[in-house]
Amino acid sequence: MTASLEQLRRCHFAVDLGAARTRVYVKGAGLVVDQPSAAAVNTRTGALIAVGEFAEKMTGRTPHYIRVVRPVSGGTVVDIEMAQRMLRHLLGDKVRRALRRKPRLRAAACTPHDADPLAQRAAIETLVGLGARRVELVDTLIAAAVGCGLPVERPEATMIMVCGAAATQVAVLSLGSIVTAERIGVGGEAVDHAIVQHLRHQHELVLPSQSVRPLQLALSGNGLTPHGPASTEIHGRDVATGLARSVQVDTAAVRNAIQTPLTAVLDGIGKVLRDCPPDLVADLADRGIMMVGGSALLPGFDQMLRQATGMPVHIAERPDVCAVQGLGTMLEGRIEPLTLDPLAT
């Protein structure tokens, strides 16, 4: 964490800019924005047509002069101006007016664990453009751990896995700091891509972008395990004819297709455990792994991790909003740091 708890208590609002969703927490008001990180732009005039949920629904359904853009990729702002415009519209006039009345407006933002100075600068510039006089940066792993109620400030090992859309971050925390961490460039989008490619190669079916998530939900319950449904019907477009077609998809084949991206996550967990001190690994054998992030809800993912690691695996109560709720907890001053006073000699 680059910001101290004392600095965060002075902040007025916090932003979690994710590749899939953008969330904003305002001090005293709670979570005020939870929308997809998408904006629809008229390329002829440069005008912003829609943001958030409505822009997300326009993906793949617009005329050629309307483009749906995503200003955040992999937890990093790649288009500062568009991110600012998107945030202004998502916040709305009422919230922005309330924030502008604050003297010396301060903001907090989540950044990925291994964010380089350029990525950190982009996050700061985005919030400065909204009127913030000072921006505090917090590691996403720390914020998510606080948000799901892990005792991060104690001298005990806690392991957290942030399953994002573009990447998965795994870390072992103790005494409020990261002991060892690893960022794996595999997230929910990689799983979606693996499913789309499988259907294209095996069934010659092009799947609409809006249909990937429903397919994952069709694997609900024990979806990634052999106890799930045997098959499910999927609608798409035939590769050869271009006509609409429905096929019965074998869920066992889908499970095999997404094993490759998920295996990379298992490798990352193994690396973190190998780099971790033995005493902390012994703590983790009892406490296990806490999964947060939207992709943590992938059906059966927790069971697969449990079988592969032999450790308990838990999913947070609301895994998708843990990071921003953690920032909110710090802003409201509901977490007390462990004070380590130097011994007098």
Side-chain angles (χ1 to χ4, degrees):
M1 191 192 318
T2 44
S4 68
L5 287 172
E6 188 56 43
Q7 290 170 320
L8 288 168
R9 285 194 187 101
R10 298 175 190 159
C11 293
H12 302 99
F13 72 105
V15 178
D16 177 18
L17 277 167
R21 297 185 77 85
T22 293
R23 299 176 177 94
V24 181
Y25 186 102
V26 174
K27 194 172 186 176
L31 189 64
V32 296
V33 173
D34 184 1
Q35 293 277 345
S37 303
V41 184
N42 186 326
T43 55
R44 292 173 178 170
T45 63
L48 201 61
I49 296 172
V51 294
E53 207 82 54
F54 190 39
E56 177 92 341
K57 289 178 181 175
M58 294 170 119
T59 305
R61 302 170 185 268
T62 60
H64 66 91
Y65 61 90
I66 295 177
R67 190 162 58 99
V68 177
V69 296
R70 294 185 174 275
V72 185
S73 176
T76 302
V77 178
V78 292
D79 187 339
I80 295 174
E81 183 187 354
M82 186 55 66
Q84 290 173 349
R85 293 173 71 185
M86 181 184 75
L87 275 170
R88 285 192 198 104
H89 282 80
L90 288 176
L91 283 170
D93 293 335
K94 185 178 178 182
V95 175
R96 278 166 46 217
R97 276 198 300 269
L99 290 175
R100 276 201 297 266
R101 285 197 289 268
K102 306 284 186 185
R104 289 195 59 81
L105 182 65
R106 288 172 175 247
C110 282
T111 55
H113 172 63
D114 59 350
D116 57 36
L118 198 61
Q120 294 179 2
R121 189 70 201 165
I124 292 171
E125 289 293 333
T126 300
L127 298 189
V128 166
L130 292 177
R133 300 288 295 275
R134 184 181 172 94
V135 179
E136 309 292 353
L137 298 180
V138 181
D139 197 302
T140 303
L141 291 161
I142 298 281
V146 171
C148 63
L150 291 178
V152 291
E153 73 281 359
R154 296 181 191 167
E156 304 169 357
T158 52
M159 190 171 192
I160 188 161
M161 187 166 87
V162 180
C163 309
T168 300
Q169 300 176 73
V170 186
V172 174
L173 312 174
S174 182
L175 285 174
S177 299
I178 294 170
V179 179
T180 177
E182 184 74 15
R183 184 176 184 271
I184 307 111
V186 171
E189 291 173 356
V191 173
D192 294 350
H193 182 70
I195 293 173
V196 168
Q197 290 301 308
H198 167 76
L199 292 174
R200 188 182 185 94
H201 293 146
Q202 298 298 320
H203 299 277
E204 297 184 347
L205 197 74
V206 178
L207 201 63
S209 58
Q210 308 286 335
S211 299
V212 181
R213 289 296 171 187
L215 174 56
Q216 292 182 7
L217 294 176
L219 303 174
S220 59
N222 299 315
L224 293 181
T225 68
H227 308 295
S231 65
T232 184
E233 189 177 23
I234 295 297
H235 308 283
R237 191 185 74 193
D238 190 279
V239 171
T241 65
L243 300 175
R245 185 161 64 92
S246 299
V247 295
Q248 282 292 127
V249 177
D250 181 16
T251 52
V254 175
R255 284 198 298 273
N256 291 334
I258 63 179
Q259 284 297 321
T260 302
L262 295 183
T263 300
V265 176
L266 295 177
D267 292 342
I269 292 174
K271 187 176 186 307
V272 168
L273 292 173
R274 286 194 299 273
D275 295 343
C276 193
D279 290 347
L280 294 181
V281 175
D283 287 350
L284 295 174
D286 298 326
R287 295 191 181 87
I289 305 170
M290 178 65 77
M291 295 175 68
V292 302
S295 299
L297 297 171
L298 185 65
F301 190 18
D302 56 329
Q303 295 182 31
M304 190 183 112
L305 290 177
R306 207 172 286 124
Q307 291 170 1
T309 61
M311 295 164 58
V313 178
H314 315 282
I315 300 177
E317 188 175 345
R318 291 194 62 196
D320 50 338
V321 296
C322 280
V324 74
Q325 292 287 13
L327 285 176
T329 300
M330 297 178 198
L331 260 62
E332 305 282 5
R334 292 197 295 263
I335 179 171
E336 291 296 328
L338 181 68
T339 306
L340 299 174
D341 293 324
L343 297 174
T345 55

